[in-house]
Amino acid sequence: MSIQNKIALVTGSTSGIGLGVAQRLAAQGCHIMLNGFGTPEQIDAAKAAVAAFGVKVGYHGADLSKPEEVQALVSATEAQLGSVDILVNNAGIQHVSPVESFDVARWDAVIAINLSAAFHTTRLTLPGMKARNWGRIVNIASAHGLVASANKSAYVAAKHGIVGLTKVVALETATTGVTCNAVCPGWVLTPLVQAQVDARAQREGVSVEQAKIGLLSEKQPSQEFVTPEQLGGLVVFLCSEDASQVRGAAWNMDGGWVAQ
Ligand code: NAD
């Protein structure tokens, strides 16, 4: 059984990993609901990049930090494309600070977007998946869902949390045709990481290229970035029938980061 004509909702898919995943699913014939922020031009470009695969594409700009907007996103997907078969919880933000000076509003935002939003999309789409006895939930966690780094308390807490949520949902669906897994990327050169590269270049008084090398050599033994397309390939595999007994996994694709 292929995933052609399945309906996939990919959160945070106007850039970076989410857009790469959306394109890989579209290449398999999935119809895609995009979500995320961006200028009208960026959103149009994301829609065009997915529509190029000849599939239906929707877009909804829900702010996932607000549960009522998550509800609106799921309702819009159902109205425009149909019930959600594949849910990829990808939207995420970062904030870097020592814990004692961590801005409280930023803590709440990271937990809301990186963790609670996935709870809401899951609780809203799971009943339909169970009723049809087929579904795939893939949570884009992080190497930081498995190990920690200093100054990333909210992010590491949220990512460890989503790995835990993944395992619980996998157990609650274990006798059904619905699976739930997490993907744990290492460094991927997206706008989220570019901001950290730029901050490092400024802090250390080095070039952006040197900052990239510094960032990679600290954590990622391959010293190469993972790409959104490679992560999209892993998501496609987790959505396949061959992966129907992969349940509750937290699968790292991280250039060796968590092997250390
Ligand atoms: P990105 O900044 O390129 O993309 C983030 C996406 O989320 C964008 O589409 C953005 O508009 C959207 N978004 C942000 N806040 C939102 C909100 N409140 N409501 C709706 N959408 C919102 O980042 P990325 O690097 O592609 O990150 C995607 C996911 O991958 C995140 O969960 C991130 O934690 C995870 N991740 C990234 C890396 C990396 O190295 N880039 C590594 C591990 C995990």
Side-chain angles (χ1 to χ4, degrees):
M1 193 180 124
S2 88
I3 55 172
Q4 192 170 20
N5 289 319
K6 296 289 187 196
I7 309 301
L9 166 57
V10 185
T11 69
S13 43
T14 49
S15 79
I17 295 169
L19 182 55
V21 169
Q23 287 177 276
R24 280 295 173 106
L25 288 171
Q28 299 295 314
C30 295
H31 306 295
I32 308 287
M33 184 57 138
L34 296 170
N35 155 259
F37 301 143
T39 63
E41 293 74 29
Q42 284 167 334
I43 291 162
D44 283 347
K47 283 164 82 173
V50 172
F53 294 96
V55 297
K56 289 186 236 165
V57 186
Y59 167 78
H60 191 281
D63 177 347
L64 299 182
S65 66
K66 299 180 177 148
E68 65 278 11
E69 294 197 24
V70 181
Q71 170 81 68
L73 169 63
V74 172
S75 299
T77 309
E78 289 167 352
Q80 288 178 36
L81 298 175
S83 298
V84 176
D85 300 304
I86 296 171
L87 169 64
V88 182
N89 287 306
N90 166 79
I93 59 168
Q94 177 62 281
H95 183 69
V96 180
S97 165
V99 68
E100 67 271 28
S101 53
F102 208 96
D103 181 80
V104 172
R106 296 311 297 163
W107 170 278
D108 287 344
V110 171
I111 300 297
I113 296 162
N114 296 19
L115 177 57
S116 301
F119 158 66
H120 293 300
T121 52
T122 300
R123 73 180 171 80
L124 292 166
T125 57
L126 193 50
M129 292 181 191
K130 278 180 162 172
R132 294 186 301 281
N133 200 34
W134 197 92
R136 293 288 186 266
I137 301 173
V138 182
N139 294 322
I140 307 299
S142 169
H144 284 119
L146 303 170
V147 295
S149 294
N151 300 323
K152 295 187 174 175
S153 53
Y155 189 86
V156 170
K159 294 301 186 181
H160 275 66
I162 203 165
V163 169
L165 174 67
T166 301
K167 292 177 184 175
V168 173
V169 174
L171 291 179
E172 292 183 9
T173 54
T175 58
T176 76
V178 181
T179 72
C180 180
N181 292 289
V183 169
C184 298
W187 292 122
V188 187
L189 195 57
T190 64
L192 183 142
V193 164
Q194 188 65 50
Q196 293 173 65
V197 169
D198 293 345
R200 188 182 182 113
Q202 202 169 22
R203 192 172 62 242
E204 296 181 354
V206 298
S207 71
V208 168
E209 272 319 299
Q210 284 169 312
K212 275 185 205 165
I213 293 165
L215 192 88
L216 284 170
S217 51
E218 223 171 59
K219 301 277 184 188
Q220 200 145 306
S222 68
Q223 303 206 25
E224 287 181 26
F225 287 103
V226 180
T227 69
E229 293 70 28
Q230 290 169 332
L231 290 161
L234 179 52
V235 172
V236 166
F237 169 68
L238 290 172
C239 292
S240 72
E241 281 313 298
D242 283 343
S244 63
Q245 290 309 322
V246 182
R247 293 173 183 266
W251 194 318
N252 46 309
M253 184 186 271
D254 61 2
W257 183 323
V258 306
Q260 297 168 98

